[in-house]
């Protein structure tokens, strides 16, 4: 502006656009983002300077993923229980009788079973229960006019995980009782078969069929195409978080119980488990997961399923069904909302819409060297 009024004109221009806010866009610095064209948003800093451009599609995609964070927090502790199979379950098994003797059918077996190999029962339970769930339980519920939603499936898995910890605690109580009575093998292990752990491994496997698979399904289906990898990574991040929580609970429990004094200096998980109280630790984890279950229920009741349209559904094709939808239409957990159709990007110099949704939130210039979905 030759008259030196560029600053004033820029502010007036920004205010003119601010009168048309984009629905659903976050407010940055107390100011509503501007509308540029029909789908672009211009973020203004508190000083009024121009920020980055974000399309309405990009904002909506991020919102769909962010709303899954409460579910992320609610499922972290489940993986704390899952990680016990590779840690304390193995330590418990090493203090039990691992001999396997079999005579018959012309065989005379005398084997020593590695305690870590009992995770085989976890795998077998998953292989058996997944088809039973898909081909047995789901059709049975549908025939009764009922349906199990993804959130209900996760909730059942959380309850089964708590039950597995209770069973592990009961097995440990019996093992400690035999140790106090002096029932030991020649190798110094408690004379109690390691196969008593089978029940807790099977229950963890059953919880995976419900909670683990349900979590992956929820995070994958309730995210737009371009954010599915990010959403799936968020689900995997809960696995890592649960492992870190499990690693921190053991020294925390030992520190607290040591200060309280008692058996073996008060530590629940000493080097010699026969002098500790691993059963108390298992019961404690079961209680913590029960509290986590109530938090999950609170979040699940507020959760709203989104009918995300994927692929050809953007062009009016068949809409992907929300898991658990149907039957009587009455859902115990979560609510259903209208379909979310994320706007698609227009090709430059063309009136046609790209049929492939945008794959990245990163601004990327159009290049003939890139395939259509990445332009």
């Amino acid at each position: 502006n030759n008259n030196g009024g560029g600053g004033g004109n820029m502010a007036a221009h920004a205010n003119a656009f601010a009168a048309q806010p984009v629905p659903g866009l976050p407010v940055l610095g107390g100011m509503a983002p501007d509308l540029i064209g029909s789908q672009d948003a211009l973020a203004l800093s508190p000083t009024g300077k121009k920020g980055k451009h974000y399309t309405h599609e990009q904002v909506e995609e991020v919102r769909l993923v962010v709303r899954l964070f409460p579910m992320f927090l609610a499922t972290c502790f489940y993986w704390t229980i899952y990680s016990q199979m590779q840690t304390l379950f193995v330590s418990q098994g090493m203090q039990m009788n691992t001999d396997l003797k079999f005579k018959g059918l012309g065989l005379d077996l005398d084997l020593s079973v590695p305690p870590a190999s009992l995770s085989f029962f976890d795998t077998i339970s998953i292989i058996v229960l997944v088809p039973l769930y898909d081909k047995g339980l789901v059709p049975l519920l549908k025939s009764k006019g009922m349906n199990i939603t993804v959130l209900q499936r996760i909730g059942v898995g959380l309850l089964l995980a708590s039950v597995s910890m209770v069973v592990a605690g009961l097995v440990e109580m019996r093992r400690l009782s035999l140790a106090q009575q002096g029932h030991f093998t020649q190798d110094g292990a408690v004379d109690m078969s390691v196969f008593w752990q089978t029940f807790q491994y099977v229950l963890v496997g059953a919880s995976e069929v419900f909670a683990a698979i349900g979590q992956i399904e929820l995070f994958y289906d309730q995210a737009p195409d371009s954010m599915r990898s990010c959403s799936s990574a968020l689900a995997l991040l809960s696995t890592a978080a649960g492992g870190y929580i499990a690693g921190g609970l053991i020294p925390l429990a030992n520190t607290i119980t040591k200060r309280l004094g008692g058996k073996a200096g008060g530590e629940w998980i000493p080097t010699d488990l026969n002098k500790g109280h691993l059963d108390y630790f298992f019961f404690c984890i079961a209680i913590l997961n029960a509290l986590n279950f109530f938090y999950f229920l609170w979040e699940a009741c507020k959760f709203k399923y989104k009918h995300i349209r994927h692929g050809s559904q953007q062009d009016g094709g068949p809409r992907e069904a929300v898991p658990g939808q149907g039957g009587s239409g009455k859902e115990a957990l979560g609510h259903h909302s209208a379909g979310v159709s994320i706007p698609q990007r227009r090709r430059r110099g063309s009136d046609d819409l790209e049929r492939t949704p945008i794959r990245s939130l990163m601004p990327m210039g159009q290049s003939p060297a890139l395939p259509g979905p990445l332009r």
Side-chain angles (χ1 to χ4, degrees):
N1 193 308
N2 295 331
N3 296 328
N9 291 337
M10 180 180 296
H13 190 65
N15 291 333
F17 278 110
Q20 305 177 22
V22 179
L25 289 180
V27 177
L28 303 178
M31 301 181 65
D34 297 329
L35 180 67
I36 295 182
S38 61
Q39 295 183 10
D40 289 339
L42 172 62
L44 295 181
S45 65
T47 60
K49 296 182 179 180
K50 291 184 178 180
K52 295 182 178 180
H53 293 266
Y54 298 100
T55 65
H56 178 74
E57 174 191 8
Q58 291 172 331
V59 175
E60 186 63 27
E61 287 174 346
V62 173
R63 288 181 61 193
L64 289 173
V65 175
V66 169
R67 73 191 183 91
L68 293 173
F69 269 85
M71 293 295 112
F72 162 78
L73 296 176
T75 53
C76 282
F77 200 82
Y78 167 78
W79 295 106
T80 299
I81 292 180
Y82 175 84
S83 65
Q84 303 307 311
M85 288 197 304
Q86 290 83 34
T87 54
L88 293 181
F89 282 11
V90 178
S91 298
Q92 182 187 41
M94 292 177 66
Q95 300 292 326
M96 302 173 73
N97 186 359
T98 60
D99 292 336
L100 175 62
K101 297 180 180 181
F102 176 79
K103 291 183 180 181
L105 301 176
L107 298 176
D108 187 4
L109 299 179
D110 188 358
L111 306 175
S112 180
V113 180
S117 67
L118 265 68
S119 59
F120 163 82
F121 293 102
D122 168 76
T123 305
I124 289 297
S125 65
I126 294 174
I127 295 174
V128 172
L129 292 176
V130 166
L132 287 178
Y133 175 87
D134 291 333
K135 304 299 182 181
L137 180 60
V138 173
L140 177 62
L141 291 176
K142 286 185 177 180
S143 66
K144 302 294 184 180
M146 297 181 294
N147 246 321
I148 181 170
T149 65
V150 177
L151 292 178
Q152 289 171 342
R153 183 174 185 173
I154 296 174
V156 172
L158 293 179
L159 290 177
L160 289 175
S162 292
V163 174
S164 70
M165 287 294 99
V166 173
V167 171
L170 294 176
V171 171
E172 180 64 12
M173 285 182 63
R174 176 59 179 169
R175 193 193 68 81
L176 289 176
S177 175
L178 292 175
Q180 293 173 357
Q181 298 173 19
H183 295 282
F184 293 97
T185 64
Q186 296 180 351
D187 299 329
V190 177
D191 192 11
M192 179 180 180
S193 176
V194 72
F195 287 100
W196 281 101
Q197 288 188 307
T198 301
F199 302 104
Q200 61 205 57
Y201 278 102
V202 170
L203 284 170
V204 172
S207 71
E208 287 183 72
V209 173
F210 287 90
I213 298 177
Q215 181 197 25
I216 295 174
E217 186 176 353
L218 175 70
F219 278 62
Y220 188 79
D221 181 80
Q222 291 294 296
D225 289 346
S226 60
M227 296 292 287
R228 277 183 161 180
S229 58
C230 178
S231 183
S232 299
L234 185 64
L236 293 176
L237 182 62
S238 66
T239 306
Y244 281 113
I245 294 173
L249 280 178
I250 295 177
L252 178 63
N254 280 341
T255 300
I256 295 175
T257 54
K258 187 174 183 178
R259 290 184 179 181
L260 296 177
K263 189 176 180 180
E267 291 186 354
W268 279 358
I269 314 174
T271 303
D272 185 0
L273 293 181
N274 294 331
K275 299 180 180 179
H277 266 299
L278 183 59
D279 52 342
Y280 291 172
F281 184 76
F282 285 148
F283 293 144
C284 182
I285 291 182
I287 294 173
L288 291 176
N289 192 56
L291 296 176
N292 176 67
F293 173 74
F294 287 115
Y295 167 71
F296 169 80
L297 280 182
W298 181 58
E299 291 293 344
C301 290
K302 299 187 300 179
F303 187 84
K304 292 184 178 181
Y305 292 102
K306 297 288 186 180
H307 298 288
I308 310 296
R309 297 176 183 175
H310 302 290
S312 61
Q313 298 163 2
Q314 297 281 357
D315 299 322
R319 186 173 63 185
E320 184 170 319
V322 174
Q325 185 183 6
S328 63
K330 297 180 180 179
E331 306 295 348
L333 296 178
H335 309 280
H336 295 290
S337 61
V340 178
S341 181
I342 298 175
Q344 293 176 310
R345 180 180 295 175
R346 290 186 180 273
R347 292 182 184 272
R348 190 173 300 173
S350 173
D351 293 333
D352 297 331
L353 287 175
E354 289 191 40
R355 295 184 181 275
T356 305
I358 296 175
R359 298 297 179 186
S360 173
L361 293 179
M362 297 296 294
M364 187 179 299
Q366 189 172 7
S367 170
L370 293 173
L374 299 178
R375 291 177 189 169

